[in-house]
Amino acid sequence: MSLKILKYVFFDLMRSRFVLTYIGILAFISFGVSYFSNDEMKTVLTLLNIVLFIIPLVSLIFGSIHFYDSGEFTEFLLTQPVSRSSVFRAEYLGLSLALSLAVVAGLLPAVIIDRLSVGNVYLLGISVILTFVFTGLAYLASSMNIEKVRGIGLSIVIWLFMAVIFDIIVILLIYLFRDYPLEKFIIILTSLNPIDLGRILLLLKTDVSALMGFTGASFKNFFGSSIGMLLSIAALFLWVLIPYLLAIRIFRRKNF
Amino acid sequence: MISISNLHKKFGKTIALNGVDFNCVQGTVTALMGPNGSGKSTLMKSVLGLVIPDSGKIIVDDADILHGFDYRNKIGYMPQTANYPQNLKVVELFDILKDLRTSETDDELIREFRIKEIYEKKFGQLSGGLKQRVSAAIAFLFNPKILILDEPTSSLDPLSAEIMKSKIHKSKLEGKLILVSSHLVSEVDEIADRLAFMLDGKIVIDKMLAEIRNGNGDVRLGKSIANLLNKI
Amino acid sequence: MNLISANRISLIVILFLNLIHTSSAKEIRVCNDCQPSTLSQAIAMSEDGDMIILQSGYYKEHDIVVDKQVSIIGEGNPVIDVGLKGNGISIIKPNVLVKGLTIKNIDVNYLSELSGIKIDYAENCVIEDNILDLTFFGIYISGSKNCKVRGNTITGVAKTESSSGNGIHLWKCSEIQVDNNRISGHRDGIYLEFVSSSSISENYSTQNLRYGLHFMFSDGNNYTSNTFDKNGAGVAVMYSKNIVMKGNTFQNNWGDASYGILLKELYDGVMENNVFFKNTIGIYLEGSNRIEMINNDFIENGWAMNILGNSEDNKIIGNNFVNNTFDISSNSSRNYNLYSGNYWDKYKGYDINRDGVGDVPYRPVSLFSLVLEKSPESIVMLRSIIVDLLDAMEKIVPSIIPETLIDEQPRITKSEHDKHKQPS
């Protein structure tokens, strides 16, 4: 991989108006939430909801836009003695790292006000992983479509599905098949959605876990155990890896 | 040396290359002509590895280009129009390229194309002509054996265009292989040794310019080409 | 200061009563190197009405049976180390006072309820300002009447429910006052069975393994101004009538099966001005009828109230519901309880005539909590966007929610209750 390209993509994004705005908005929210809440756990939970909403959306849409906007430059780079995967990796990492750093910087006010805690650390970790996951998905959607509009459209569809439709389906399934033992099925189902995985992992690190223990003890037992935890984190990493690998595969065969 | 055999490429239902056989040797300037959509760009992009052919072979200096990207160290490329990121500085681009390339830069060239004074400028601040000048400089910057120039003079200022032409001439004398696409017969007449004319994904004329001129007895190259095309 | 002087006065009153009882009362002083050198010796020497002063020192005694009507008073914090050998002090006569002692090291026993202080069938006893440390059972009173247990600090080291006893354990008693005690580290902090006409007030029961307060078959008792904090499963009260609970705080009972308070088959009670703060479930109501829940504060609970369908004719009036994940949850599609004049922080209505009462009714059951009741597995969706969506849907299709579970007069602002204690 070309570190020079990575460095360039990263620093170019870090000084771009969009990323600075992103940091600003996140910082404003996280400062507001933690400043006006006296309970650090509550801050984490409120921020979690915001993070689960914003990060996939921004990573997907901005990821796609950036992919297309840098298309000509990417093409130019590929006329140079450098492999396609190396250029792709540099651009993907540059973007993911820039957005991750933006998220961490944006959440920093909350960490400073509430100090570093388990909840905070998990929130930051999950935010960063989700940024990587959804940047990867954005690149996958964009590599698949030559047309910008279709690529961005696909990204929006992915977001809608992951953030909203998937959960509706899960809850409908749970409701319709409530007379059957569903726990294992649901555990597998939720690990098919990185947003849900992130949400559950963090919830179990907060007070809210008791609510989960109260009605869904088996979930708490699974996700709360170290094995469940490891499996969930492993699933999240697969969610980083698989879209990335698929995207790079498509990118290597792409015609410019 | 570039040697292309039986190259095919389809984009969906559109046939872009329909069995191209083509060889270029060092020390010649080959002009690639043809109407829009005839496959010139696809052919050039295939050599650069930007387009992956459906079938056929491209060999650059005895090596199949499918086997790696190192061969591009030998190629200098100038796109027809280049859009560089707005915030990128010329010097930063040069740095990235130096990192990717194995050969040394030809600093004389930077002086020749008068790049020094815009070194610290961002591409967003440069005019189209200036960007094109940078593109031109980049093609020659690493002293490559092979030059692929896509309409190199089309949006250059007259002075830079002249520099470009003399650069092409000089490079030819240095034994380099130059593949240049152009719309301008006069330009081809001025710089090229050989003409490849494309139609519908095929090379329909592939002759030395001298041969074309002599064969038709017409002094004007354009007319000669037209005559040749009529015979197909 | 007030507390101390109040205790002094009560001491004087009791001494005075004792004086009336036996006119020839005497004072016996016990210390490590005088005669008598043990409390048991002193009791053996004493007669009804005597006062035994246990002077500062370390007494290795166990199974001290108080079979005289005496007052035993510690001076300079004497320590009785039971050394895991049996009970501490057993009182079997009426009119006994035990005050200012430290009794420690009561062993776990699976056959008998070994206790720091045990009272069997005795009236008018006072157990005051003692420290009971490392006890199996702390204070165990059975078959007694008109006793006062106050100002004691009772600390156990309960490890498992089966190997631990209760802090204050009352069995078949009446007219008992349990005030101002601090109980921790037992199975149940305060336990009552077949107890009537008693009052439990201003106690602090915390970090007990099971319940902070646990009673059953105990009618007509008052529970006032107690705090039940961080107990394993909160508070559970069952099978009783005519209960009054006022000004108590139930907080931090946060766990997989924890309640602020669990009411099971309780009839005719009043719960007023209590605070429920940070419990998994504030109030869990099962088969309980005619309870008036008035002016309570429900703050930051998982569920403020979970009312099972078999609970009827309860009145939920004038309470504040603030920052609970769920306000009301019910497993029934019908409702036989009254909700009125409560403040619900999730209420989005308006008040045009500015009378403090919202002009549109409020339905405190969210659609998600209903889904949750039907299919508990859906808890995995907690705090996902879908939950907000469901709750928004509820506004569009309110027919899914029990129609009568409705507050017709929701308050626009929080009620300022008498005991408006902001939990910290």
Side-chain angles (χ1 to χ4, degrees):
Chain A
M1 185 184 53
S2 161
L3 277 177
K4 272 264 162 55
I5 300 178
L6 168 64
K7 228 172 93 183
Y8 158 67
V9 172
F10 177 78
F11 285 109
D12 183 46
L13 282 164
M14 285 318 290
R15 62 195 174 189
S16 74
R17 201 175 302 150
F18 180 85
V19 171
L20 293 177
T21 314
Y22 188 38
I23 295 175
I25 289 173
L26 284 173
F28 179 75
I29 293 172
S30 75
F31 175 78
V33 169
S34 48
Y35 187 78
F36 289 108
S37 139
N38 45 8
D39 183 343
E40 168 251 319
M41 271 300 165
K42 231 162 50 191
T43 307
V44 167
L45 286 174
T46 312
L47 288 179
L48 173 72
N49 277 19
I50 293 163
V51 152
L52 289 180
F53 187 87
I54 288 183
I55 288 182
L57 189 64
V58 167
S59 305
L60 273 167
I61 293 178
F62 182 69
S64 292
I65 291 174
H66 184 258
F67 183 92
Y68 289 106
D69 282 357
S70 52
E72 283 191 326
F73 186 54
T74 306
E75 187 179 325
F76 172 78
L77 287 175
L78 289 177
T79 63
Q80 302 300 317
V82 60
S83 75
R84 287 194 173 194
S85 20
S86 144
V87 170
F88 183 90
R89 241 184 319 243
E91 295 203 346
Y92 167 76
L93 273 181
L95 177 61
S96 307
L97 287 173
L99 289 181
S100 298
L101 187 71
V103 168
V104 171
L107 293 176
L108 213 57
V111 177
I112 290 167
I113 291 173
D114 292 331
R115 273 177 236 105
L116 213 57
S117 68
V118 182
N120 272 334
V121 168
Y122 264 74
L123 184 71
L124 288 177
I126 285 164
S127 304
V128 168
I129 292 180
L130 287 182
T131 300
F132 273 83
V133 170
F134 286 96
T135 308
L137 285 168
Y139 267 37
L140 179 58
S142 313
S143 310
M144 281 164 67
N145 290 287
I146 293 172
E147 275 176 70
K148 186 174 179 176
V149 180
R150 291 183 65 172
I152 294 172
L154 181 58
S155 282
I156 294 172
V157 169
I158 292 175
W159 178 79
L160 259 180
F161 182 77
M162 294 284 201
V164 186
I165 298 169
F166 185 90
D167 287 2
I168 293 180
I169 294 172
V170 172
I171 215 156
L172 273 177
L173 285 177
I174 294 174
Y175 193 77
L176 292 175
F177 298 102
R178 59 182 178 276
D179 299 332
Y180 301 89
L182 281 177
E183 281 91 347
K184 275 192 192 124
F185 174 67
I186 294 166
I187 286 170
I188 293 167
L189 209 57
T190 46
S191 59
L192 295 179
N193 186 340
I195 302 180
D196 284 337
L197 267 178
R199 181 174 49 77
I200 293 170
L201 270 178
L202 192 118
L203 283 191
L204 285 175
K205 289 289 149 198
T206 67
D207 293 357
V208 179
S209 66
L211 304 194
M212 212 165 260
F214 194 80
T215 67
S218 53
F219 300 127
K220 194 182 172 185
N221 290 343
F222 175 77
F223 288 113
S225 71
S226 40
I227 291 213
M229 198 79 120
L230 280 176
L231 283 176
S232 313
I233 292 171
L236 275 175
F237 275 104
L238 279 182
W239 265 108
V240 175
L241 212 60
I242 289 170
Y244 163 78
L245 287 175
L246 284 175
I248 213 170
R249 200 182 143 91
I250 293 170
F251 187 82
R252 288 177 65 176
R253 294 170 185 191
K254 201 179 140 132
N255 296 304
F256 286 87
Chain B
M1 179 190 150
I2 302 171
S3 118
I4 296 167
S5 51
N6 201 22
L7 207 61
H8 286 264
K9 181 68 190 178
K10 273 190 195 172
F11 293 113
K13 282 180 183 160
T14 326
I15 297 170
L17 297 177
N18 193 12
V20 173
D21 292 288
F22 188 49
N23 290 299
C24 298
V25 289
Q26 301 300 128
T28 41
V29 178
T30 307
L32 200 54
M33 292 189 86
N36 282 333
S38 59
K40 284 176 304 193
S41 294
T42 308
L43 184 63
M44 288 182 146
K45 283 183 170 185
S46 300
V47 175
L48 289 163
L50 289 173
V51 166
I52 295 160
D54 299 335
S55 65
K57 234 181 199 166
I58 302 170
I59 292 176
V60 172
D61 278 1
D62 305 326
D64 194 321
I65 65 162
L66 287 176
H67 293 150
F69 52 85
D70 274 342
Y71 79 95
R72 290 201 285 269
N73 266 313
K74 298 173 182 163
I75 301 178
Y77 171 64
M78 176 180 173
Q80 192 175 351
T81 50
N83 268 317
Y84 302 98
Q86 301 283 312
N87 281 325
L88 186 66
K89 285 180 187 166
V90 175
V91 64
E92 289 172 331
L93 179 63
F94 280 33
D95 275 347
I96 291 174
L97 292 176
K98 280 180 197 161
D99 187 48
L100 299 178
R101 290 276 183 165
T102 48
S103 34
E104 293 298 309
T105 51
D106 181 351
D107 292 325
E108 170 67 9
L109 202 110
I110 291 170
R111 195 190 52 78
E112 249 179 285
F113 279 94
R114 290 165 291 134
I115 300 297
K116 262 264 154 56
E117 58 255 45
I118 53 169
Y119 237 35
E120 288 296 328
K121 286 231 163 75
K122 289 178 177 177
F123 278 100
Q125 301 167 307
L126 299 185
S127 68
L130 275 177
K131 278 188 218 166
Q132 211 53 17
R133 211 153 88 195
V134 175
S135 288
I138 287 169
F140 293 93
L141 187 62
F142 295 92
N143 209 3
K145 287 177 73 171
I146 298 170
L147 286 155
I148 298 179
L149 313 169
D150 198 351
E151 311 247 355
T153 56
S154 64
S155 42
L156 280 179
D157 55 289
L159 178 56
S160 299
E162 283 312 312
I163 296 173
M164 172 59 94
K165 284 180 201 165
S166 74
K167 235 3 244 185
I168 291 173
H169 189 68
K170 226 171 97 188
S171 300
K172 184 184 86 170
L173 296 180
E174 284 165 9
K176 292 180 176 168
L177 184 163
I178 299 132
L179 180 62
V180 49
S181 77
S182 181
H183 273 105
L184 303 170
V185 178
S186 61
E187 189 180 86
V188 172
D189 201 5
E190 194 182 339
I191 59 172
D193 306 315
R194 180 177 164 224
L195 171 76
F197 198 97
M198 289 191 81
L199 263 183
D200 299 329
K202 276 190 164 150
I203 292 177
V204 291
I205 302 171
D206 184 1
K207 281 193 159 89
M208 299 305 283
L209 283 194
E211 201 181 333
I212 297 171
R213 282 195 204 97
N214 295 338
N216 283 274
D218 200 316
V219 242
R220 277 163 44 236
L221 183 63
K223 186 81 182 188
S224 307
I225 297 168
N227 285 339
L228 275 175
L229 286 172
N230 282 333
K231 289 181 194 159
I232 300 164
Chain C
M1 283 308 283
N2 278 340
L3 200 68
I4 293 168
S5 57
N7 283 342
R8 282 223 175 109
I9 292 165
S10 63
L11 181 63
I12 291 163
V13 169
I14 286 160
L15 292 180
F16 181 67
L17 287 173
N18 284 346
L19 283 177
I20 295 171
H21 197 78
T22 47
S23 52
S24 61
K26 62 179 183 294
E27 185 184 289
I28 303 169
R29 299 191 78 86
V30 186
C31 66
N32 283 129
D33 30 53
C34 53
Q35 255 322 312
S37 65
T38 66
L39 181 55
S40 309
Q41 288 172 5
I43 293 168
M45 289 161 59
S46 69
E47 288 166 32
D48 285 356
D50 284 356
M51 180 155 80
I52 300 169
I53 310 283
L54 197 60
Q55 284 181 279
S56 176
Y58 189 78
Y59 300 89
K60 284 197 144 193
E61 294 189 65
H62 57 91
D63 293 307
I64 304 160
V65 178
V66 184
D67 51 5
K68 312 266 171 58
Q69 300 183 30
V70 292
S71 300
I72 301 166
I73 294 163
E75 217 177 63
N77 194 22
V79 176
I80 297 176
D81 186 350
V82 178
L84 309 175
K85 284 177 181 150
N87 286 304
I89 294 176
S90 289
I91 299 166
I92 56 172
K93 278 280 156 70
N95 304 320
V96 171
L97 164 80
V98 176
K99 182 180 159 79
L101 305 184
T102 294
I103 301 171
K104 64 181 193 185
N105 294 328
I106 307 296
D107 200 9
V108 174
N109 191 302
Y110 294 98
L111 298 175
S112 85
E113 285 97 3
L114 297 182
S115 321
I117 297 173
K118 200 167 213 173
I119 301 165
D120 272 321
Y121 297 90
E123 292 180 6
N124 310 328
C125 49
V126 177
I127 310 297
E128 196 171 47
D129 298 339
N130 300 291
I131 294 169
L132 295 134
D133 206 7
L134 310 176
T135 46
F136 178 44
F137 279 77
I139 298 170
Y140 187 108
I141 307 179
S142 59
S144 301
K145 208 178 145 185
N146 194 27
C147 282
K148 295 180 174 57
V149 179
R150 60 189 168 210
N152 302 288
T153 301
I154 307 168
T155 315
V157 281
K159 287 194 180 68
T160 63
E161 277 188 23
S162 57
S163 70
S164 55
N166 303 322
I168 295 175
H169 183 109
L170 306 182
W171 189 74
K172 277 200 175 171
C173 293
S174 67
E175 296 165 54
I176 310 286
Q177 284 178 29
V178 179
D179 301 341
N180 274 307
N181 300 287
R182 194 195 153 93
I183 307 125
S184 62
H186 287 79
R187 182 172 54 196
D188 294 341
I190 300 172
Y191 177 92
L192 288 77
E193 195 174 348
F194 304 110
V195 174
S196 61
S197 310
S198 297
S199 83
I200 313 293
S201 55
E202 294 182 45
N203 298 288
Y204 187 73
S205 179
T206 183
Q207 286 168 340
N208 295 291
L209 225 47
R210 195 170 62 180
Y211 300 120
L213 167 70
H214 185 33
F215 67 73
M216 47 180 120
F217 312 112
S218 294
D219 302 340
N221 299 313
N222 282 353
Y223 302 84
T224 318
S225 305
N226 301 287
T227 299
F228 304 103
D229 186 18
K230 290 195 200 86
N231 293 294
V235 166
V237 303
M238 313 166 174
Y239 315 114
S240 304
K241 293 187 291 201
N242 299 320
I243 299 304
V244 177
M245 298 188 127
K246 288 186 182 178
N248 301 289
T249 300
F250 302 83
Q251 64 185 13
N252 300 319
N253 300 297
W254 195 269
D256 292 353
S258 292
Y259 311 91
I261 186 166
L262 169 114
L263 288 85
K264 185 173 174 153
E265 298 193 32
L266 227 67
Y267 303 105
D268 302 295
V270 177
M271 300 186 73
E272 207 176 315
N273 283 325
N274 301 290
V275 175
F276 298 86
F277 176 64
K278 282 205 169 181
N279 305 289
T280 309
I281 297 183
I283 296 183
Y284 189 87
L285 213 63
E286 190 182 333
S288 295
N289 303 337
R290 298 183 300 278
I291 314 275
E292 292 182 3
M293 299 182 213
I294 301 167
N295 296 349
N296 300 289
D297 286 342
F298 296 88
I299 300 164
E300 293 180 27
N301 302 286
W303 287 265
M305 297 179 87
N306 194 334
I307 300 189
L308 300 195
N310 54 5
S311 296
E312 297 175 8
D313 298 325
N314 299 292
K315 289 177 183 153
I316 294 98
I317 297 171
N319 303 287
N320 290 324
F321 292 86
V322 181
N323 284 337
N324 303 294
T325 306
F326 304 101
D327 287 334
I328 307 288
S329 169
S330 175
N331 66 345
S332 167
S333 55
R334 317 194 110 187
N335 170 51
Y336 300 103
N337 303 300
L338 172 74
Y339 298 83
S340 183
N342 299 289
Y343 168 76
W344 313 89
D345 64 344
K346 297 178 184 68
Y347 180 59
K348 301 272 190 312
Y350 44 83
D351 177 22
I352 288 172
N353 59 3
R354 293 184 159 273
D355 60 353
V357 175
D359 297 344
V360 284
Y362 179 66
R363 296 166 186 277
V365 177
S366 70
L367 188 51
F368 182 59
S369 79
L370 213 71
V371 169
L372 204 52
E373 279 296 332
K374 292 273 193 320
S375 45
E377 292 90 353
S378 52
I379 192 78
V380 288
M381 285 298 132
L382 188 69
R383 292 206 159 247
S384 101
I385 296 174
I386 180 71
V387 173
D388 299 331
L389 275 177
L390 273 177
D391 291 349
M393 257 166 69
E394 163 216 355
K395 302 239 161 19
I396 305 164
V397 267
S399 55
I400 301 171
I401 290 162
E403 277 203 3
T404 51
L405 210 169
I406 194 165
D407 190 335
E408 298 278 2
Q409 298 187 304
R411 285 182 57 91
I412 288 292
T413 52
K414 237 164 116 176
S415 316
E416 295 296 320
H417 297 151
D418 297 351
K419 182 202 175 199
H420 197 71
K421 204 159 74 175
Q422 270 306 322
S424 50

